[in-house]
């Protein structure tokens, strides 16, 4: 329940930011009907939300990997540099 409330609050904040930005940069939007305006805002808010979600999930995954690496918990993803270094070390017999 608490999570849904936070999601709704975040959605309202994104909506307000998008609406204010579009209204400022594109005053012609006032010529559209209210329903058309809401469709435009909604479409942009959905795109922005997906971008934010993808970024948050990727950054969270990276943080989890860092925690696992720092505390030696379970399996973690190796960075490309780590993979390269590991391969080089293995080929040299380290």
């Amino acid at each position: 329940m608490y999570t849904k409330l936070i999601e709704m609050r975040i959605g309202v904040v994104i909506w307000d930011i998008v609406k204010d930005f579009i209204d400022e940069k594109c005053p012609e939007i006032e010529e559209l009907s209210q329903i058309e305006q809401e469709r435009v805002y909604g479409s942009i808010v959905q795109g922005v939300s997906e971008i934010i979600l993808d970024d948050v999930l990727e950054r969270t995954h990276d943080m989890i990997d860092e925690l696992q690496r720092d505390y030696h918990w379970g399996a973690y993803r190796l960075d490309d540099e780590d993979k390269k270094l590991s391969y080089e070390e293995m080929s040299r017999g380290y």
Side-chain angles (χ1 to χ4, degrees):
M1 172 97 174
Y2 183 71
T3 304
K4 289 293 182 191
L5 182 60
I6 291 174
E7 288 175 8
M8 291 186 333
R9 287 181 180 172
I10 291 171
V12 169
V13 169
I14 293 171
W15 180 280
D16 290 343
I17 292 168
V18 166
K19 183 182 182 314
D20 290 345
F21 188 79
I22 291 172
D23 290 348
E24 179 184 323
K25 300 293 183 186
C26 188
E28 297 85 1
I29 198 157
E30 293 297 323
E31 298 170 8
L32 300 175
S33 70
Q34 187 174 357
I35 292 174
E36 290 173 320
Q37 288 178 19
E38 288 183 6
R39 284 186 188 142
V40 170
Y41 299 140
S43 175
I44 294 171
V45 166
Q46 181 180 0
V48 168
S49 298
E50 289 172 1
I51 291 168
I52 291 170
L53 177 62
D54 290 344
D55 187 52
V56 166
L57 292 176
E58 179 63 29
R59 288 173 186 254
T60 302
H61 189 66
D62 291 345
M63 289 178 184
I64 290 171
D65 285 346
E66 191 174 311
L67 277 172
Q68 288 177 330
R69 197 173 13 254
D70 291 348
Y71 292 98
H72 308 290
W73 294 338
Y76 56 87
R77 217 172 37 168
L78 287 176
D79 295 328
D80 290 337
E81 282 299 314
D82 291 341
K83 288 178 186 177
K84 183 175 151 184
L85 182 62
S86 296
Y87 178 77
E88 289 175 1
E89 288 175 349
M90 291 174 65
S91 66
R92 292 183 187 154
Y94 294 137

